[in-house]
CSV table of all heavy atoms in Angstrom, one decimal:
chain,number,residue,atom,x,y,z
R,132,ARG,N,-16.9,6.4,-12.8
R,132,ARG,CA,-16.3,5.3,-13.5
R,132,ARG,C,-15.8,5.8,-14.9
R,132,ARG,O,-16.2,6.9,-15.3
R,132,ARG,CB,-17.2,4.1,-13.6
R,132,ARG,CG,-17.6,3.6,-12.2
R,132,ARG,CD,-18.1,2.2,-12.2
R,132,ARG,NE,-18.4,1.8,-10.9
R,132,ARG,CZ,-19.5,2.0,-10.2
R,132,ARG,NH1,-20.5,2.7,-10.8
R,132,ARG,NH2,-19.7,1.6,-9.0
R,133,ASN,N,-15.1,5.0,-15.5
R,133,ASN,CA,-14.6,5.2,-16.9
R,133,ASN,C,-13.9,6.6,-17.0
R,133,ASN,O,-14.1,7.3,-18.0
R,133,ASN,CB,-15.8,5.2,-17.9
R,133,ASN,CG,-16.6,3.9,-17.8
R,133,ASN,OD1,-16.0,2.9,-17.7
R,133,ASN,ND2,-17.9,4.0,-17.8
R,134,MET,N,-13.0,6.8,-16.1
R,134,MET,CA,-12.2,8.0,-16.2
R,134,MET,C,-11.2,7.8,-17.4
R,134,MET,O,-10.6,6.7,-17.5
R,134,MET,CB,-11.4,8.2,-14.9
R,134,MET,CG,-12.2,8.8,-13.8
R,134,MET,SD,-12.4,10.6,-14.1
R,134,MET,CE,-10.8,11.1,-13.8
R,135,PRO,N,-10.9,8.9,-18.1
R,135,PRO,CA,-9.9,8.7,-19.2
R,135,PRO,C,-8.5,8.4,-18.6
R,135,PRO,O,-8.3,8.7,-17.4
R,135,PRO,CB,-9.9,10.1,-19.9
R,135,PRO,CG,-10.7,11.0,-19.0
R,135,PRO,CD,-11.5,10.2,-18.1
R,136,ALA,N,-7.6,7.9,-19.4
R,136,ALA,CA,-6.3,7.6,-19.0
R,136,ALA,C,-5.7,8.9,-18.4
R,136,ALA,O,-6.1,10.0,-18.8
R,136,ALA,CB,-5.5,7.1,-20.2
R,137,PRO,N,-4.7,8.7,-17.5
R,137,PRO,CA,-4.1,9.9,-16.9
R,137,PRO,C,-3.5,10.9,-17.9
R,137,PRO,O,-3.0,10.4,-19.0
R,137,PRO,CB,-3.0,9.3,-16.0
R,137,PRO,CG,-2.8,7.9,-16.5
R,137,PRO,CD,-4.1,7.5,-17.1
R,138,ALA,N,-3.6,12.1,-17.6
R,138,ALA,CA,-3.1,13.2,-18.5
R,138,ALA,C,-1.6,12.9,-18.8
R,138,ALA,O,-0.8,12.7,-17.9
R,138,ALA,CB,-3.2,14.5,-17.9
R,139,LYS,N,-1.2,12.9,-20.1
R,139,LYS,CA,0.2,12.7,-20.5
R,139,LYS,C,1.0,13.9,-20.0
R,139,LYS,O,0.5,15.0,-19.9
R,139,LYS,CB,0.3,12.6,-22.0
R,139,LYS,CG,-0.1,11.3,-22.5
R,139,LYS,CD,0.9,10.7,-23.5
R,139,LYS,CE,0.8,9.2,-23.7
R,139,LYS,NZ,-0.5,8.8,-24.3
R,140,HIS,N,2.2,13.7,-19.6
R,140,HIS,CA,3.2,14.7,-19.2
R,140,HIS,C,2.6,15.5,-18.0
R,140,HIS,O,2.8,16.7,-17.9
R,140,HIS,CB,3.5,15.7,-20.3
R,140,HIS,CG,3.7,15.1,-21.6
R,140,HIS,ND1,4.8,14.2,-21.8
R,140,HIS,CD2,3.1,15.2,-22.8
R,140,HIS,CE1,4.8,13.8,-23.0
R,140,HIS,NE2,3.8,14.3,-23.7
R,141,ALA,N,1.9,14.7,-17.1
R,141,ALA,CA,1.4,15.4,-15.9
R,141,ALA,C,2.6,15.5,-15.0
R,141,ALA,O,2.7,14.8,-14.0
R,141,ALA,CB,0.3,14.5,-15.3
R,142,GLY,N,3.4,16.5,-15.3
R,142,GLY,CA,4.7,16.6,-14.5
R,142,GLY,C,4.5,17.3,-13.2
R,142,GLY,O,3.4,17.7,-12.8
R,143,GLU,N,5.5,17.3,-12.4
R,143,GLU,CA,5.5,17.9,-11.0
R,143,GLU,C,5.0,19.3,-11.0
R,143,GLU,O,5.4,20.1,-11.9
R,143,GLU,CB,6.9,17.8,-10.4
R,143,GLU,CG,7.2,16.5,-9.9
R,143,GLU,CD,8.5,16.5,-9.1
R,143,GLU,OE1,9.0,17.6,-8.7
R,143,GLU,OE2,9.1,15.4,-8.9
R,144,GLY,N,4.0,19.6,-10.2
R,144,GLY,CA,3.6,20.9,-10.0
R,144,GLY,C,2.6,21.4,-11.1
R,144,GLY,O,2.2,22.5,-11.1
R,145,ARG,N,2.2,20.5,-12.0
R,145,ARG,CA,1.3,20.9,-13.1
R,145,ARG,C,-0.1,21.0,-12.5
R,145,ARG,O,-0.6,20.0,-12.0
R,145,ARG,CB,1.5,20.0,-14.3
R,145,ARG,CG,0.5,20.2,-15.3
R,145,ARG,CD,1.0,20.1,-16.7
R,145,ARG,NE,-0.1,20.3,-17.6
R,145,ARG,CZ,-0.5,19.3,-18.5
R,145,ARG,NH1,0.1,18.2,-18.6
R,145,ARG,NH2,-1.6,19.6,-19.2
R,146,ARG,N,-0.8,22.1,-12.7
R,146,ARG,CA,-2.1,22.2,-12.2
R,146,ARG,C,-3.1,21.7,-13.3
R,146,ARG,O,-3.0,22.1,-14.4
R,146,ARG,CB,-2.4,23.7,-11.9
R,146,ARG,CG,-1.5,24.3,-10.8
R,146,ARG,CD,-1.6,25.8,-10.9
R,146,ARG,NE,-2.9,26.2,-10.6
R,146,ARG,CZ,-3.4,26.3,-9.3
R,146,ARG,NH1,-2.6,26.1,-8.3
R,146,ARG,NH2,-4.7,26.6,-9.1
R,147,ILE,N,-4.0,20.9,-12.9
R,147,ILE,CA,-5.0,20.4,-13.8
R,147,ILE,C,-6.4,20.4,-13.1
R,147,ILE,O,-6.5,19.8,-12.0
R,147,ILE,CB,-4.7,18.9,-14.2
R,147,ILE,CG1,-3.3,18.8,-14.9
R,147,ILE,CG2,-5.8,18.4,-15.2
R,147,ILE,CD1,-2.9,17.4,-15.1
R,148,ALA,N,-7.3,21.1,-13.7
R,148,ALA,CA,-8.7,21.2,-13.1
R,148,ALA,C,-9.3,19.8,-13.0
R,148,ALA,O,-9.3,19.1,-14.0
R,148,ALA,CB,-9.6,22.1,-13.9
R,149,PRO,N,-9.8,19.4,-11.9
R,149,PRO,CA,-10.5,18.0,-11.8
R,149,PRO,C,-11.7,18.0,-12.7
R,149,PRO,O,-12.4,19.0,-12.8
R,149,PRO,CB,-10.8,17.9,-10.3
R,149,PRO,CG,-10.8,19.2,-9.7
R,149,PRO,CD,-9.9,20.1,-10.6
R,150,PRO,N,-12.0,16.8,-13.2
R,150,PRO,CA,-13.3,16.6,-14.0
R,150,PRO,C,-14.5,16.9,-13.0
R,150,PRO,O,-14.3,16.9,-11.8
R,150,PRO,CB,-13.3,15.2,-14.4
R,150,PRO,CG,-11.9,14.7,-14.1
R,150,PRO,CD,-11.3,15.6,-13.1
R,151,ARG,N,-15.6,17.1,-13.6
R,151,ARG,CA,-16.8,17.4,-12.8
R,151,ARG,C,-17.8,16.2,-12.7
R,151,ARG,O,-17.9,15.4,-13.7
R,151,ARG,CB,-17.6,18.6,-13.4
R,151,ARG,CG,-16.8,19.8,-13.3
R,151,ARG,CD,-17.0,20.5,-12.0
R,151,ARG,NE,-15.9,21.4,-11.6
R,151,ARG,CZ,-15.8,22.0,-10.4
R,151,ARG,NH1,-16.8,21.7,-9.5
R,151,ARG,NH2,-14.8,22.7,-10.1
R,152,CYS,N,-18.4,16.0,-11.6
R,152,CYS,CA,-19.4,14.9,-11.4
R,152,CYS,C,-20.6,15.1,-12.3
R,152,CYS,O,-21.1,16.2,-12.5
R,152,CYS,CB,-19.9,15.0,-10.0
R,152,CYS,SG,-21.3,13.9,-9.6
R,153,ALA,N,-21.1,14.0,-13.0
R,153,ALA,CA,-22.2,14.1,-13.9
R,153,ALA,C,-23.5,14.4,-13.2
R,153,ALA,O,-24.4,14.9,-13.8
R,153,ALA,CB,-22.3,12.8,-14.7
R,154,TYR,N,-23.6,14.2,-11.9
R,154,TYR,CA,-24.8,14.4,-11.2
R,154,TYR,C,-24.9,15.8,-10.6
R,154,TYR,O,-25.9,16.5,-10.7
R,154,TYR,CB,-25.0,13.3,-10.1
R,154,TYR,CG,-25.1,11.9,-10.6
R,154,TYR,CD1,-23.9,11.1,-10.7
R,154,TYR,CD2,-26.3,11.4,-11.0
R,154,TYR,CE1,-23.9,9.9,-11.2
R,154,TYR,CE2,-26.3,10.1,-11.5
R,154,TYR,CZ,-25.2,9.3,-11.6
R,154,TYR,OH,-25.2,8.1,-12.1
R,155,CYS,N,-23.9,16.2,-9.9
R,155,CYS,CA,-24.0,17.4,-9.1
R,155,CYS,C,-22.9,18.5,-9.5
R,155,CYS,O,-22.9,19.6,-8.9
R,155,CYS,CB,-23.9,17.2,-7.6
R,155,CYS,SG,-22.2,16.8,-7.1
R,156,ALA,N,-22.1,18.1,-10.5
R,156,ALA,CA,-21.0,19.0,-11.0
R,156,ALA,C,-20.0,19.3,-10.0
R,156,ALA,O,-19.1,20.2,-10.1
R,156,ALA,CB,-21.6,20.3,-11.5
R,157,GLY,N,-19.9,18.5,-8.9
R,157,GLY,CA,-18.9,18.7,-7.9
R,157,GLY,C,-17.5,18.2,-8.5
R,157,GLY,O,-17.5,17.5,-9.5
R,158,PRO,N,-16.4,18.6,-7.9
R,158,PRO,CA,-15.1,18.1,-8.4
R,158,PRO,C,-14.9,16.6,-8.1
R,158,PRO,O,-15.3,16.2,-7.0
R,158,PRO,CB,-14.1,19.0,-7.7
R,158,PRO,CG,-14.8,19.4,-6.4
R,158,PRO,CD,-16.3,19.5,-6.7
R,159,VAL,N,-14.3,15.9,-9.0
R,159,VAL,CA,-14.0,14.5,-8.8
R,159,VAL,C,-12.7,14.4,-8.0
R,159,VAL,O,-11.7,15.2,-8.2
R,159,VAL,CB,-13.8,13.8,-10.2
R,159,VAL,CG1,-13.4,12.3,-10.0
R,159,VAL,CG2,-15.1,13.8,-11.0
R,160,ARG,N,-12.6,13.5,-7.1
R,160,ARG,CA,-11.4,13.3,-6.2
R,160,ARG,C,-10.9,11.9,-6.4
R,160,ARG,O,-11.7,10.9,-6.7
R,160,ARG,CB,-11.7,13.6,-4.8
R,160,ARG,CG,-12.8,12.7,-4.2
R,160,ARG,CD,-12.8,12.8,-2.7
R,160,ARG,NE,-11.7,12.0,-2.1
R,160,ARG,CZ,-11.4,11.9,-0.8
R,160,ARG,NH1,-12.1,12.6,0.1
R,160,ARG,NH2,-10.4,11.2,-0.4
R,161,PRO,N,-9.6,11.6,-6.1
R,161,PRO,CA,-9.1,10.2,-6.1
R,161,PRO,C,-9.7,9.4,-4.9
R,161,PRO,O,-10.1,10.0,-3.9
R,161,PRO,CB,-7.6,10.4,-6.0
R,161,PRO,CG,-7.4,11.7,-5.4
R,161,PRO,CD,-8.6,12.6,-5.7
R,162,GLY,N,-9.7,8.1,-5.1
R,162,GLY,CA,-10.3,7.3,-4.0
R,162,GLY,C,-9.3,6.9,-2.9
R,162,GLY,O,-9.4,5.8,-2.3
R,163,VAL,N,-8.4,7.8,-2.6
R,163,VAL,CA,-7.4,7.6,-1.5
R,163,VAL,C,-8.0,8.1,-0.2
R,163,VAL,O,-8.8,9.0,-0.2
R,163,VAL,CB,-6.1,8.2,-1.8
R,163,VAL,CG1,-5.6,7.7,-3.2
R,163,VAL,CG2,-6.1,9.7,-1.7
R,164,VAL,N,-7.5,7.5,0.9
R,164,VAL,CA,-7.9,8.0,2.2
R,164,VAL,C,-6.9,9.1,2.6
R,164,VAL,O,-5.7,8.9,2.6
R,164,VAL,CB,-7.8,6.9,3.3
R,164,VAL,CG1,-8.0,7.4,4.7
R,164,VAL,CG2,-8.7,5.8,3.0
R,165,TRP,N,-7.4,10.3,2.7
R,165,TRP,CA,-6.6,11.5,3.1
R,165,TRP,C,-6.4,11.6,4.6
R,165,TRP,O,-7.2,11.0,5.3
R,165,TRP,CB,-7.2,12.8,2.5
R,165,TRP,CG,-7.0,12.9,1.0
R,165,TRP,CD1,-5.9,12.4,0.3
R,165,TRP,CD2,-7.8,13.6,0.1
R,165,TRP,NE1,-6.0,12.8,-1.0
R,165,TRP,CE2,-7.1,13.6,-1.2
R,165,TRP,CE3,-9.0,14.4,0.2
R,165,TRP,CZ2,-7.6,14.2,-2.3
R,165,TRP,CZ3,-9.5,15.0,-1.0
R,165,TRP,CH2,-8.8,14.9,-2.2
R,166,PHE,N,-5.4,12.4,5.0
R,166,PHE,CA,-5.2,12.6,6.4
R,166,PHE,C,-6.4,13.2,7.0
R,166,PHE,O,-7.1,14.1,6.4
R,166,PHE,CB,-4.0,13.5,6.6
R,166,PHE,CG,-2.7,12.8,6.3
R,166,PHE,CD1,-2.0,13.1,5.1
R,166,PHE,CD2,-2.2,11.9,7.2
R,166,PHE,CE1,-0.8,12.4,4.8
R,166,PHE,CE2,-1.0,11.2,6.9
R,166,PHE,CZ,-0.3,11.5,5.7
R,167,GLY,N,-6.8,12.7,8.1
R,167,GLY,CA,-8.0,13.2,8.8
R,167,GLY,C,-9.3,12.4,8.4
R,167,GLY,O,-10.3,12.6,9.0
R,168,GLU,N,-9.2,11.5,7.4
R,168,GLU,CA,-10.4,10.7,7.0
R,168,GLU,C,-10.3,9.3,7.6
R,168,GLU,O,-9.2,8.8,8.0
R,168,GLU,CB,-10.4,10.6,5.5
R,168,GLU,CG,-10.7,12.0,4.8
R,168,GLU,CD,-10.7,11.9,3.3
R,168,GLU,OE1,-10.1,11.1,2.7
R,168,GLU,OE2,-11.4,12.8,2.8
R,169,SER,N,-11.5,8.7,7.7
R,169,SER,CA,-11.5,7.3,8.3
R,169,SER,C,-11.1,6.3,7.2
R,169,SER,O,-11.4,6.5,6.0
R,169,SER,CB,-12.9,7.0,8.7
R,169,SER,OG,-13.3,7.9,9.7
R,170,LEU,N,-10.5,5.2,7.7
R,170,LEU,CA,-10.2,4.1,6.8
R,170,LEU,C,-11.5,3.4,6.5
R,170,LEU,O,-12.4,3.4,7.3
R,170,LEU,CB,-9.2,3.2,7.5
R,170,LEU,CG,-7.7,3.5,7.3
R,170,LEU,CD1,-7.4,4.9,7.9
R,170,LEU,CD2,-6.8,2.5,7.9
Side-chain angles (χ1 to χ4, degrees):
R132 299 200 176 84
N133 305 319
M134 281 283 290
K139 282 229 161 65
H140 316 300
E143 278 186 19
R145 174 139 175 242
R146 302 164 59 83
I147 302 170
R151 293 276 155 186
C152 170
Y154 298 94
C155 75
V159 176
R160 61 165 284 175
V163 307
V164 176
W165 280 333
F166 288 104
E168 294 181 330
S169 303
L170 274 60

